[in-house]
Amino acid sequence: MPMKILDHLEEILIAFLMAAATTIIFISVAHRYAAGFPIIQDYILHWNLAWAQELCIYMFVWMAKFGAAYGVRTGIHVGVDVLINKLSTPLRAKFIVFGLLAGATFTGVVGTMGSTFVWHMSDTEQVSADLEWPMWIIYLAIPLGSYLMCFRFLQVMVNFLRTGELPHHDHGHVEGLEEDTTDPQRAAQDVNWYEMDDNLHPHDIAHHEGRKPGNGPVIDKGPKENDR
């Protein structure tokens, strides 16, 4: 239950930052162009939106830091692992664990250095140029996002050691819609004919052994009715 809450908070924060930044940028651009029309410029020229650009930059920084952690959890980060996928199962598993530990170590170090930087900056009175917000609050994105990313690396590693599976992101999946596997005709329509084994992610143990994650070994049931 706590993990689901953390996952939902992560997704809500990223979605909010993306939507809010896009809305602010749209309003700022619309205000800039609308100020050139004599009819309405008297009503909007007194609006001061000089802070919009700075705020959007900070929001995108926060979104990128937490989005990176989300990418680790869902497996959407791209990595070329052609050589690792050609290794035997035990050796490939060791390389995958090493890579996950390396990612956790790196993000943990960045988070610790960021925490030290934010701690020293909190003793100063440095503020942002337009918003005049304390800079240590803005730089909190570094330790918070890095530590969350470190946690996600460890989470993926523990799950891999338990199940032999890595997170995979299905670009064709729509949240809230489940595939109908009871109807053969509908199931055939859900096949992604353009799906390729592109070696862009390290294959998990289930993939290497010819199993679908969580479904056990694939059993050949012979030719289908339509193939006869």
Side-chain angles (χ1 to χ4, degrees):
M1 186 63 180
M3 292 304 305
K4 290 185 178 181
I5 295 176
L6 178 61
D7 294 345
H8 286 308
L9 288 177
E10 183 182 58
E11 295 167 359
I12 291 173
L13 178 61
I14 295 172
F16 169 76
L17 291 174
M18 185 182 301
T22 304
T23 303
I24 293 174
I25 291 176
F26 173 79
I27 294 176
S28 178
V29 173
H31 171 267
R32 182 185 308 170
Y33 282 95
F37 292 92
I39 301 176
I40 59 177
Q41 64 180 1
D42 295 336
Y43 298 97
I44 63 175
L45 278 178
H46 63 280
W47 295 357
N48 182 16
L49 298 180
W51 49 268
Q53 180 178 358
E54 183 179 271
L55 177 59
C56 288
I57 292 175
Y58 295 150
M59 295 177 75
F60 276 114
V61 169
W62 277 72
M63 181 181 62
K65 292 297 296 182
F66 285 89
Y70 174 81
V72 174
R73 174 169 67 90
T74 57
I76 62 177
H77 286 300
V78 176
V80 180
D81 301 285
V82 178
L83 295 179
I84 294 180
N85 292 335
K86 293 183 178 297
L87 298 175
S88 60
T89 299
L91 188 58
R92 187 178 67 259
K94 293 179 180 179
F95 271 96
I96 293 176
V97 172
F98 173 78
L100 294 173
L101 282 176
T105 302
F106 175 77
T107 50
V109 170
V110 173
T112 302
M113 296 177 63
S115 300
T116 304
F117 179 77
V118 170
W119 176 263
H120 290 297
M121 180 166 286
S122 63
D123 295 332
T124 67
E125 297 181 356
Q126 184 176 355
V127 296
S128 60
D130 296 324
L131 295 170
E132 297 184 353
W133 288 356
M135 289 301 297
W136 69 269
I137 295 180
I138 298 172
Y139 280 108
L140 270 178
I142 299 176
L144 293 180
S146 298
Y147 279 138
L148 180 59
M149 195 172 181
C150 177
F151 172 75
R152 294 303 188 188
F153 272 117
L154 296 176
Q155 182 184 27
V156 171
M157 185 192 68
V158 171
N159 183 71
F160 176 75
L161 292 175
R162 289 178 178 176
T163 64
E165 299 173 4
L166 291 171
H168 294 283
H169 182 72
D170 184 7
H171 296 279
H173 175 71
V174 179
E175 191 70 26
L177 295 180
E178 301 296 335
E179 296 182 0
D180 186 6
T181 58
T182 59
D183 185 2
Q185 184 176 0
R186 174 63 65 85
Q189 294 175 355
D190 293 333
V191 174
N192 183 7
W193 300 105
Y194 300 98
E195 184 178 2
M196 296 184 296
D197 191 3
D198 51 12
N199 283 329
L200 293 180
H201 293 85
H203 297 163
D204 51 32
I205 303 302
H207 184 286
H208 185 70
E209 296 177 352
R211 294 184 290 112
K212 294 183 178 180
N215 291 340
V218 176
I219 302 176
D220 187 3
K221 299 181 180 180
K224 298 181 180 180
E225 188 70 25
N226 295 333
D227 296 336
R228 296 177 180 176

